[in-house]
Structure formats: structure tokens, C-alpha cells
Amino acid sequence: MDTIFVPGEILQKAFPGLGEGEAREIIQKGQVHTFLPGVVTCKEGALETTFYIILSGEVQVSKVINESEEK
């Protein structure tokens, strides 16, 4: 069974101080995307303009320590 996501509820759960009107404004300006496994959405050191909220699935966050080590 698929989970039904209610964007306003998710935003207010992630940011408890967010008002209903503020959540609605963010939703109106936002977009929902589905990414395939292995897709890199942002890269360390890059100037980014997107804020991600993971609605379902998994995400891997990594940090390059040096040329031979990544955590």
C-alpha cells in the first residue's frame, strides 16, 4: 500500500514552529521529485540553491576526508 504524504503535515513535523500559512507558502513554491537510486542531488563544495526534504526512501550523505577516504 502506498503512503499518502500530506506536505503541510510533513513540513510542520520537520519544523514545529512553522505556521499553517507559512507551510502553505513553501508548498506552493516547492516541487516534488522522484530520484533514481545512485543519483547525486548535490555535491560537496558546490553552491546550491535547493533545500531537500526526503518524503520517503533513503538518502546517503557522505564527506570526502581526503583523496582516499570518504565517510
Side-chain angles (χ1 to χ4, degrees), residues 39 41 52 54 56-62:
V39 170
T41 56
Y52 294 93
I54 311 304
S56 68
E58 297 178 6
V59 63
Q60 177 180 344
V61 178
S62 61

Side-chain angles (χ1 to χ4, degrees), residues 7-56:
E9 289 178 13
I10 292 169
L11 282 172
Q12 289 182 302
K13 190 176 209 176
F15 305 100
L18 195 64
E20 206 172 296
E22 294 166 315
R24 198 172 20 257
E25 185 177 341
I26 291 170
I27 292 164
Q28 289 171 346
K29 293 180 180 183
Q31 300 174 0
V32 175
H33 292 276
T34 300
F35 296 98
L36 296 173
V39 170
V40 176
T41 56
C42 52
K43 202 163 181 132
E44 183 176 357
L47 178 61
E48 302 289 341
T49 60
T50 303
F51 180 82
Y52 294 93
I53 296 176
I54 311 304
L55 299 174
S56 68

